[in-house]
Amino acid sequence: MALIVQKYGGTSVGSIERIMHVARKVKSFRDQGHDLVVVLSAMSGETNRLIDLAKQVQSSPDARELDVLLSTGEQQTIALLVMALKQIGVDARSYTGPQVRILTDSSFNKARILSIEESRMRKDLDEGRVVVAAGFQGVDENGNTTTLGRGGSDTTAVALAATLKADECQIYTDVDGVYTTDPRVVPEARRLNRITFEEMLELASLGSKVLQIRAVEFAGKYNVPLRVLSSFKDGEGTLITYEEDGMEEPLISGIAFQRDEAKLTILGVPDEPGVAYRILGPIGDANIEVDMIVQNVGADDTTDFTFTVNRNDYEKALKILQSTAEELGARDVNGDVKIVKISVVGVGMRSHAGIAATMFKALADERINIRMISTSEIKTSVVVDEKYLELAVRTLHSAFKLEQELTQA
Ligand code: ADP
Ligand code: ASP
Ligand code: MG
């Protein structure tokens, strides 16, 4: 007998048939004697639909009201699942984020969880009920509804599991685990039995949307056993775990990519102290997150400075950069939205040189031009033209032989 937190994503609750299927799955765990807390996403497409409705009314929707709207998606599925459970004789009760009292800060659309009240859920569990909680939402100290950012139901599930000290947090989705890369792009991608928190965190932050970054952070911090599994297919899925001594470490664990990057360059700025700050200060002040940064070696006392931002922030960043360019007497400003970032991740990289070289050669052999490069201890990222995304990911996947059982260090 265990306490299990299960999260079902949008595709898994995307229709009434699928909600019934989830209900039967939950019942089978109940029948084995487990206590269950189930966290749900909205039906697939619903959150996008709601965002689209909001944009039809207000071009840049009011952040507070957007959260009031978006939180309704998850409110539909939790009620429907409880009805489905009752229909097959399982006692259950649904709670929205505010009803559980998932307290968050007040950053609408990207709120962070501060604390979770445990008492109500405990009482239901003690009385033999399944708790069904809405993912992706909470309430701030002033009673405003908040949401946790796209993919936030993963984080709700992990946070509930941490609070309740659950034996396992299971993330049910439309793939049967974490793969060496997105199996939709590389059909030869291989499912990993295990992956370390560190690598999963890196993959998530570099664009693999299979788990929200904060969910992985939370699980690592509070030591929550986390597993990614399929809602539709039986199997062990992928366990996200600490690095263990003697664990056979592959050199490279996976490849992530981000489709929604954009690149901006300011040309001919003075090559002197304080310039990077004068360029990026106003960008940061506008709440735009900067990802990669490259400054060229100066020539004639001037230099070029390039950085990337999320594509949604491109227009705003370009305007700011144009006015900075005037102030600094820069030669020109240009930008490109048709770029993507591809990253190779692996803890084995720490102790091995040559990963970057293998990566660059593989891309060169396919005549894919690399526009920017950045590296850290366990990842190497490149920016390439958008049109090469699929080719580049497939090329790297096979260059590192990720389709094979283990890339030995
Ligand atoms: P859910 O709605 O269940 O939260 P998501 O769409 O958020 O599901 O995440 C699952 C998707 O993540 C998969 O369908 C897959 O296309 C994508 N994905 C990206 N990278 C990976 C990876 N390395 N392993 C598995 N899935 C991945
Ligand atoms: N429904 C939200 C989204 O689409 C949250 C989630 O599914 O995790 O982003
Ligand atoms: Mg998701």
Side-chain angles (χ1 to χ4, degrees):
M1 238 200 64
L3 170 58
I4 306 173
V5 175
Q6 300 187 329
K7 176 255 172 177
Y8 293 90
T11 320
S12 312
V13 293
S15 66
I16 293 302
E17 292 72 43
R18 288 190 170 171
I19 289 176
M20 307 284 230
H21 173 76
V22 170
R24 287 191 294 273
K25 254 183 110 76
V26 170
K27 182 175 188 314
S28 74
F29 279 91
R30 273 306 281 154
D31 291 345
Q32 291 165 38
H34 300 307
D35 285 335
L36 284 178
V37 173
V38 178
V39 174
L40 297 185
S41 288
M43 288 179 157
S44 54
E46 180 64 5
T47 307
N48 286 342
R49 187 184 74 90
L50 294 170
I51 292 173
D52 186 56
L53 288 180
K55 285 187 173 162
Q56 287 180 43
V57 179
Q58 197 184 9
S59 53
S60 179
D62 182 86
R64 179 187 184 279
E65 301 314 318
L66 187 62
D67 279 355
V68 173
L69 182 68
L70 294 190
S71 64
T72 62
E74 273 70 11
Q75 196 167 334
Q76 299 168 10
T77 49
I78 55 169
L80 290 168
L81 179 65
V82 171
M83 291 174 198
L85 284 167
K86 293 202 163 183
Q87 184 68 25
I88 55 174
V90 179
D91 196 11
R93 192 172 278 172
S94 72
Y95 293 99
T96 64
Q99 284 174 334
V100 172
R101 208 167 149 75
I102 297 181
L103 187 73
T104 71
D105 63 17
S106 303
S107 319
F108 296 115
N109 313 160
K110 49 175 188 293
R112 278 181 181 269
I113 296 176
L114 301 174
S115 66
I116 295 179
E117 232 164 78
E118 197 182 328
S119 51
R120 261 188 177 169
M121 290 186 288
R122 276 283 173 220
K123 185 158 180 292
D124 280 316
L125 293 172
D126 290 346
E127 290 171 3
R129 272 188 291 271
V130 173
V131 172
V132 179
F136 176 58
Q137 54 183 263
V139 63
D140 75 359
E141 57 177 359
N142 301 314
N144 298 302
T145 296
T146 54
T147 66
L148 309 179
R150 299 308 303 269
S153 299
D154 297 335
T155 303
T156 304
V158 174
L160 289 180
T163 302
L164 295 165
K165 301 189 179 55
D167 296 289
E168 188 162 287
C169 181
Q170 303 175 338
I171 306 288
Y172 287 92
T173 182
D174 54 5
V175 281
D176 62 348
V178 177
Y179 278 68
T180 46
T181 192
D182 190 338
R184 288 177 206 269
V185 171
V186 183
E188 296 78 27
R190 185 171 47 84
R191 186 179 58 78
L192 302 164
N193 290 321
R194 289 168 158 248
I195 184 166
T196 65
F197 281 112
E198 205 181 358
E199 287 168 314
M200 192 61 237
L201 196 61
E202 203 75 45
L203 285 176
S205 59
L206 294 167
S208 297
K209 66 167 186 167
V210 61
L211 284 175
Q212 200 196 33
I213 308 168
R214 283 188 195 159
V216 186
E217 263 170 14
F218 230 93
K221 188 164 164 198
Y222 295 99
N223 199 2
V224 177
L226 183 62
R227 195 182 285 278
V228 175
L229 307 124
S230 163
S231 300
F232 309 108
K233 192 173 145 193
D234 288 338
E236 293 294 298
T238 301
L239 181 68
I240 294 105
T241 171
Y242 290 106
E243 199 173 339
E244 290 160 18
D245 283 347
M247 197 164 140
E248 245 181 331
E249 270 311 332
L251 203 46
I252 300 298
S253 298
I255 300 173
F257 50 84
Q258 211 132 28
R259 292 179 196 269
D260 50 2
E261 295 257 321
K263 177 163 85 72
L264 296 115
T265 302
I266 179 165
L267 297 134
V269 292
D271 192 8
E272 60 189 34
V275 165
Y277 173 67
R278 288 185 65 186
I279 296 170
L280 294 182
I283 300 282
D285 293 343
N287 226 340
I288 299 174
E289 228 173 282
V290 171
D291 183 12
M292 285 167 134
I293 302 170
V294 174
Q295 183 180 328
N296 289 353
V297 176
D300 318 325
D301 299 330
T302 69
T303 185
D304 304 336
F305 192 96
T306 303
F307 58 95
T308 64
V309 297
N310 187 288
R311 228 174 260 185
N312 290 328
D313 290 325
Y314 176 73
E315 295 296 335
K316 204 161 128 194
L318 187 63
K319 277 209 187 88
I320 296 171
L321 198 59
Q322 275 159 346
S323 87
T324 308
E326 269 178 41
E327 278 170 35
L328 291 175
R331 185 153 34 88
D332 201 3
V333 165
N334 63 42
D336 191 349
V337 291
K338 295 202 162 154
I339 56 148
V340 291
K341 181 171 78 172
I342 301 173
S343 311
V344 167
V345 173
V347 287
M349 241 186 245
R350 273 198 203 112
S351 48
H352 282 265
I355 300 292
T358 306
M359 190 171 177
F360 303 156
K361 176 171 189 313
L363 295 173
D365 287 347
E366 293 295 335
R367 309 219 35 85
I368 298 172
N369 194 23
I370 301 171
R371 304 206 168 268
M372 292 171 87
I373 299 169
S374 94
T375 62
S376 75
E377 213 187 9
I378 67 163
K379 70 128 206 283
T380 302
S381 304
V382 295
V383 166
V384 301
D385 289 350
E386 184 182 71
K387 64 180 181 216
Y388 294 126
L389 174 75
E390 277 82 9
L391 176 63
V393 175
R394 282 189 202 126
T395 300
L396 294 173
H397 198 270
S398 91
F400 288 107
K401 302 190 175 56
L402 291 180
E403 68 286 356
Q404 294 173 13
E405 233 354 270
L406 195 65
T407 318
Q408 265 309 325

